Amino acid sequence: MKDQTAVAVWSFLKKRGSILRKGTVFQIQSYSIHDGPGIRTTVFLKGCPLRCLWCHNPESQNRMPELMYFEEKCILCGKCISSCPRNAIRPDGDRLVTDREKCRACGDCVEICPREARHISGRLMTAEDVMKKVRKDSMFYPLSGGGVTLSGGEPLFQPEFSEELFGICKKEGVSTAVETCGYASEEIVRTVLKDVDLVFLDIKAADEELHTKLTGVPNKPVLRNAEIIRHSMKKNLIIRIPMIPEMNATEDNIRKTGTFITERLGKDVPVQLLPYHNLGTDKEKQLGRSDVHEYARPSEDRMEAFRQMLEGYGLTVQTGGSM
Ligand code: SF4
Ligand code: SF4
């Protein structure tokens, strides 16, 4: 139902041509070698419909720009306190606290800070703004087999912007890839991914109840879209499974995911197992989150055992890489 409402709203706004054409981008990384083949430019978008407990880019979850505070760099000079037009910053012992309800991410405190202890994550950019950066990197694409990857956050969460960016890449002969959680309407998937050469799709849990518990949303649209991308759109598809101990890194989940891939997608769809890392924990603190998550890393032996389990289904499986 939620899904249908999102489609209806999006279609209506699209027809009226009133959707904001700018995307919220929080990082553009050149010379990336982990987000697809060759040397790539990876564009990280802000905003995601999922709330994975282990998210390694928590600054990508909210669509709007957000303030980050790097406590270890702060010398408590107090310049930011007086610069804030909303009186959102106050001292609290040997650190500062920002009232996130009051903060509007205006950036005044970032400008004045002498130690770069404050940063606004996310800025509005047009697809053409992003392409200026991409064109500078494009000399590395042909020889290395690289191109542009849209990541996040969730590229399908900003469909107009992602569609436009992929369209320009296609016109200019730049190879394209996307890293997606797959949680979107069928219409958005078909529209945004039409100009995409390679799709990395996460299946965080094959069981609907577990998926909802871990991410906040059911997995039905994700599994349906995996089949559409593979069979109807005939895209190159790689399934990624982030592995978080005591969450989804269980034999039961691997068995169910292996069954879904072999029976519904095909044995020739490669799989990547991505071990959990705790890079998101510090970022949660920098965003002033009260709830900070940290889990144990899966051991190499455990990862190897999961890899062999999936290979038992006749799948080609890689371990390692970034989540
Ligand atoms: S970003 Fe603007 S509103 Fe937010 S704390 Fe800094 S100065 Fe205040
Ligand atoms: S301006 Fe920067 S260094 Fe000074 S108190 Fe604020 S965050 Fe700390």
Side-chain angles (χ1 to χ4, degrees), residues 8 14 20 23 37 41 49 54 119 121 128-129 168 191 206 209 217 265 271 285 320:
K14 198 175 181 201
L20 190 67
T41 306
W54 58 83
H119 168 72
S121 175
E128 200 43 53
D129 293 334
I168 301 174
T191 308
E209 203 179 315
V217 299
L265 302 179
V271 180
K285 293 177 193 160

Side-chain angles (χ1 to χ4, degrees), residues 66-67 80-81 83-89 97-100 102-110 118-120:
E66 275 174 286
L67 178 74
C80 55
I81 298 176
S83 78
C84 178
R86 299 187 61 85
N87 293 322
I89 311 168
V97 174
T98 304
D99 184 334
R100 301 280 162 170
K102 288 185 182 170
C103 175
R104 291 293 175 270
C106 68
D108 287 2
C109 60
V110 175
R118 305 177 80 83
H119 168 72
I120 301 293

Side-chain angles (χ1 to χ4, degrees), residues 29-250:
Q29 192 177 332
S30 298
Y31 318 116
S32 166
I33 51 166
H34 297 296
D35 304 307
I39 298 172
R40 312 192 69 82
T41 306
T42 305
V43 182
F44 293 89
L45 302 187
K46 202 158 151 45
C48 181
L50 273 59
R51 287 293 176 269
C52 302
L53 296 171
W54 58 83
C55 182
H56 71 300
N57 278 337
E59 76 274 39
S60 74
Q61 291 180 329
N62 294 330
R63 169 75 192 264
M64 298 311 291
E66 275 174 286
L67 178 74
M68 297 179 84
Y69 169 53
F70 307 97
E71 198 181 325
E72 67 287 356
K73 292 186 182 175
C74 175
I75 53 168
L76 295 172
C77 69
K79 289 184 176 171
C80 55
I81 298 176
S82 47
S83 78
C84 178
R86 299 187 61 85
N87 293 322
I89 311 168
R90 65 177 166 81
D92 181 25
D94 58 355
R95 64 193 297 271
L96 301 179
V97 174
T98 304
D99 184 334
R100 301 280 162 170
E101 294 289 313
K102 288 185 182 170
C103 175
R104 291 293 175 270
C106 68
D108 287 2
C109 60
V110 175
E111 292 285 310
I112 207 160
C113 177
R115 299 301 293 257
E116 298 185 345
R118 305 177 80 83
H119 168 72
I120 301 293
S121 175
R123 65 185 173 121
L124 293 176
M125 298 178 82
T126 62
E128 200 43 53
D129 293 334
V130 174
M131 284 308 294
K132 283 182 191 148
K133 176 76 185 140
V134 167
R135 288 180 194 118
K136 281 187 191 152
D137 296 349
S138 62
M139 71 183 87
F140 299 104
Y141 304 154
L143 270 182
S144 70
V148 167
T149 300
L150 272 197
S151 184
E154 175 49 57
L156 298 176
F157 203 54
Q158 303 190 38
E160 285 264 319
F161 174 79
S162 298
E163 180 192 355
E164 188 177 352
L165 189 57
F166 284 137
I168 301 174
C169 286
K170 188 60 31 183
K171 268 192 214 133
E172 298 188 11
V174 174
S175 169
T176 51
V178 68
E179 293 174 337
T180 177
C181 70
Y183 188 81
S185 70
E186 179 176 343
E187 184 183 356
I188 287 176
V189 166
R190 287 186 182 278
T191 308
V192 176
L193 301 189
K194 64 181 183 301
D195 290 324
V196 173
D197 301 312
L198 173 63
V199 179
F200 293 96
L201 177 83
D202 279 11
I203 297 183
K204 301 178 200 271
D207 179 81
E208 174 126 39
E209 203 179 315
L210 180 64
H211 194 277
T212 306
K213 185 175 151 198
L214 299 180
T215 70
V217 299
N219 65 1
K220 261 199 192 77
V222 179
L223 303 182
R224 176 205 62 206
N225 289 335
E227 292 188 73
I228 290 168
I229 291 163
R230 173 71 179 141
H231 299 302
S232 176
M233 298 182 78
K234 302 198 186 309
K235 296 288 177 185
N236 291 321
L237 175 65
I238 296 177
I239 296 296
R240 282 178 162 173
I241 313 173
M243 300 298 289
I244 300 90
E246 295 177 36
M247 296 268 156
N248 67 344
T250 63

